[in-house]
Amino acid sequence: MKNTNEIWEEVVETLVKEGMTDVTIKTFFKTGIVFPISHDNSTYTIAVENTFTKGYLLKHTNEIERILEQICGSPKKLIIYLNSEIKNRQNGITAEEDTKKDRSGLIKEYRFDNFIVGPSNDFAHAAAVAAAENPGDADYNPLFLYGGVGLGKTHLMHAIGNYIYEKDPTLNIKYISCNNFTTEFINSLNTKKTYDFKEKYKNVDLLLLDDIQYLANKDSTQTEFFNIFNDLMNSKKQIVLCSDRKPSEIETLTDRLVSRMNGGIVADIKFPDLETRIAILEKKAFDFGINVPFEVLNLIAEQSLNNVREMEGLLKKVRMYSKFINKEITLELATEAIKDSLNHDKKPITIELIQEKAAEYFHITVEDLCSKRRGKPLGTYRQIAMYLCKKYLDVTIREIGTKFGGKEHSTVIYSCNVISELIETNPEIREYVTDIEKLLK
Ligand code: ADP
Ligand code: MG
């Protein structure tokens, strides 16, 4: 069975073979704006970075579905989400992770033996191991882990779950995100099944509740959680909680909950230092089964990113690029693959930069953008680019006209006015403009 990523790689390869232009493929790929998410018997889901790409792919849905059917041997419907929708839906857990869950909602890939320990997380790790070895022990109950996004909290939680499960598969382990917990609770109210809801949690041996900062402002869920919490504590069942901040910093969390949460161990996870980051990447590369030279690991780790998940994303990009152009991973190849994310000094905004970014965004060439060709959509793309030049640069209308292939003064003014108006009335145009602005900044 091929996994979701492998299938997508084949789709891209087939598109290339079938003659989709290099520019299109490269812009899609280089900027990392299409992300394979999951697949099942009848669907294949991807997420894309922006509305434009979504529109573009929607136009090619038939082609892609045909290729998917070739690769998978059965018809699949292509589902396209915007990345932001996925993020909202999953809140913290990526969809890819979601598909990996099985027993009790645990992701079996998140284990202690592939969690790299360093000064930033050694205390949290030790506390997690202790809780896993002695679940319910008053010294480690509840265990409260906190720290920024993408630093390994969820990984440690699942590691505890997997460890305990492997020692005793008969135990009732429950991993749930706070938002899902809230939804379950509200559904039980609506369907008058609160009794079932309570019973279900009463019978849990290990409760892993993720991202509990989302309990803020949810009074009735807090009350319900407090009751479950007390029941489980009284019967010496282990509870592990995660949050992006300390209990006392979660606004509107009732004092009694804060004091309960502080009653066991509270451990924070910080951003790992360079050595730990390299070690994490090395481990991930090993798990991916790829050979990555040290200088490439170092390059990725040195990008001052603030979370491990993003770092992993860069490694995946490098891996995919190397597969795609069928060459070994070298420093040169890696630099090319992730050059958009590299931390070089920001380029100053110029007419050329705006043209480059707009062309990249619309999957056309700068020549097209500056050509004499009229008509939609090219004309609109050109108008947007001109509008951005006027908005961001202290240059004359004449200069803009010249740099856009010798356009008349009046054409430039007209373009800028049209787009100013459309921004107010047309959400699609507004989104194109703000997306390109993000690329510039
Ligand atoms: P959080 O819950 O803190 O937002 P996650 O646990 O989801 O973060 O971690 C994000 C990604 O980074 C996961 O793929 C995880 O495996 C990886 N990760 C983070 N810290 C480590 C570490 N110390 N060792 C190995 N992988 C790590
Ligand atoms: Mg998490």
Side-chain angles (χ1 to χ4, degrees):
M1 269 287 274
K2 289 175 190 127
N3 70 30
T4 308
N5 279 328
E6 287 164 356
I7 295 175
W8 188 250
E9 281 166 30
E10 279 192 33
V11 169
V12 177
E13 272 163 32
T14 314
L15 285 170
V16 178
K17 276 192 209 129
E18 293 190 352
M20 178 172 269
T21 71
D22 242 27
V23 184
T24 320
I25 292 282
K26 258 189 146 176
T27 18
F28 270 128
F29 179 70
K30 261 194 334 201
T31 44
I33 44 185
V34 179
F35 304 93
I37 299 289
S38 64
H39 72 284
D40 60 22
N41 289 338
S42 56
T43 63
Y44 188 94
T45 308
I46 57 175
V48 299
E49 194 68 33
N50 59 51
T51 324
F52 182 82
T53 313
K54 184 168 175 177
Y56 182 85
L57 287 178
L58 282 172
K59 281 190 209 127
H60 289 80
T61 301
N62 286 344
E63 254 169 288
I64 297 174
E65 284 180 349
R66 173 179 52 78
I67 298 173
L68 280 171
E69 183 171 352
Q70 267 170 30
I71 296 171
C72 307
S74 62
K76 295 225 185 303
K77 189 171 163 32
L78 182 70
I79 300 175
I80 308 173
Y81 282 111
L82 284 179
N83 240 342
S84 50
E85 293 167 339
I86 296 268
K87 278 182 196 140
N88 293 341
R89 233 165 37 112
Q90 307 274 345
N91 132 54
I93 294 237
T94 60
E96 189 189 347
E97 285 167 342
D98 217 31
T99 60
K100 287 192 199 146
K101 284 188 197 164
D102 53 2
R103 55 192 194 207
S104 328
L106 291 177
I107 299 170
K108 48 179 191 310
E109 283 80 2
Y110 287 167
R111 319 173 53 81
F112 284 127
D113 53 32
N114 60 9
F115 188 85
I116 305 292
V117 184
S120 58
N121 59 27
D122 53 355
F123 181 62
H125 171 261
V129 171
E133 276 171 353
N134 314 289
D137 187 313
D139 286 347
Y140 312 104
N141 205 15
L143 170 62
F144 190 104
L145 303 171
Y146 74 93
V149 177
L151 298 186
K153 303 182 295 297
T154 299
H155 185 134
L156 272 183
M157 269 190 145
H158 286 276
I160 298 172
N162 285 317
Y163 186 95
I164 293 180
Y165 174 86
E166 274 152 31
K167 255 169 97 179
D168 185 354
T170 62
L171 288 178
N172 185 359
I173 299 173
K174 174 95 181 152
Y175 167 89
I176 188 162
S177 71
C178 179
N179 279 348
N180 286 345
F181 178 82
T182 307
T183 311
E184 264 190 25
F185 174 60
I186 293 173
N187 284 344
S188 80
L189 289 177
N190 291 339
T191 55
K192 305 212 168 23
K193 289 198 172 128
T194 44
Y195 177 80
D196 293 355
F197 176 82
K198 283 177 207 200
E199 279 302 292
K200 178 161 125 193
Y201 282 93
K202 234 166 114 179
N203 293 323
V204 159
D205 295 303
L206 167 67
L207 177 63
L208 307 160
L209 185 61
D210 206 347
D211 285 320
I212 63 138
Q213 68 270 16
Y214 295 112
L215 273 182
N217 297 317
K218 300 195 178 114
D219 294 346
S220 53
T221 312
Q222 277 191 34
T223 310
E224 194 50 45
F225 174 64
F226 186 74
N227 294 334
I228 291 173
F229 190 108
N230 282 339
D231 280 351
L232 291 178
M233 289 292 286
N234 289 338
S235 29
K236 304 213 169 3
K237 298 296 164 58
Q238 180 69 40
I239 299 175
V240 183
L241 305 165
C242 273
S243 160
D244 64 352
R245 61 205 96 150
K246 290 182 198 166
S248 58
E249 286 169 3
I250 305 174
E251 316 95 54
T252 81
L253 201 62
T254 56
D255 289 345
R256 54 184 194 163
L257 257 180
V258 173
S259 101
R260 272 308 217 159
M261 287 175 183
N262 279 320
I265 278 210
V266 178
D268 72 332
I269 303 189
K270 296 191 195 68
F271 185 60
D273 58 21
L274 183 67
E275 277 152 356
T276 313
R277 295 201 311 272
I278 292 177
I280 294 174
L281 283 170
E282 211 170 3
K283 182 82 195 146
K284 297 281 172 190
F286 180 81
D287 290 346
F288 289 156
I290 50 173
N291 211 342
V292 185
F294 178 81
E295 61 269 24
V296 173
L297 299 175
N298 195 55
L299 171 80
I300 297 175
E302 263 185 348
Q303 304 316 308
S304 80
L305 305 155
N306 44 21
N307 93 50
V308 177
R309 188 179 295 126
E310 268 173 35
M311 205 170 72
E312 235 181 287
L314 291 183
L315 182 64
K316 284 186 186 162
K317 251 188 180 176
V318 171
R319 176 187 63 159
M320 199 153 154
Y321 193 64
S322 122
K323 258 191 117 164
F324 184 56
I325 64 171
N326 200 11
K327 287 202 176 122
E328 256 176 66
I329 298 176
T330 57
L331 186 59
E332 195 191 349
L333 178 139
T335 313
E336 174 64 24
I338 61 172
K339 74 171 177 234
D340 295 325
S341 320
L342 288 182
N343 234 346
H344 40 57
D345 288 334
K346 276 230 178 69
K347 288 192 203 160
I349 299 184
T350 55
I351 296 183
E352 286 76 12
L353 187 75
I354 293 177
Q355 290 174 337
E356 192 188 304
K357 294 293 170 190
E360 178 184 316
Y361 180 75
F362 293 123
H363 307 301
I364 55 175
T365 61
V366 173
E367 290 76 61
D368 286 336
L369 196 66
C370 300
S371 69
K372 295 247 173 335
R373 277 165 48 211
R374 289 155 182 263
K376 283 186 177 167
L378 188 60
T380 314
Y381 301 162
R382 187 179 299 132
Q383 290 173 336
I384 290 177
M386 289 185 180
Y387 162 87
L388 287 168
C389 291
K390 171 90 180 1
K391 177 168 173 189
Y392 282 100
L393 302 172
D394 187 20
V395 292
T396 60
I397 296 290
R398 191 165 306 282
E399 236 176 304
I400 299 177
T402 313
K403 292 260 176 85
F404 275 82
K407 300 286 176 308
E408 295 290 333
H409 191 265
S410 58
T411 309
V412 180
I413 295 183
Y414 175 76
S415 301
C416 297
N417 290 343
V418 169
I419 300 300
S420 304
E421 277 169 30
L422 284 177
I423 284 180
E424 301 299 326
T425 55
N426 182 328
E428 202 179 17
I429 298 289
R430 183 164 55 236
E431 201 157 338
Y432 292 172
V433 171
T434 45
D435 280 345
I436 300 171
E437 285 176 331
K438 275 187 218 142
L439 290 177
L440 290 170
K441 283 170 190 166

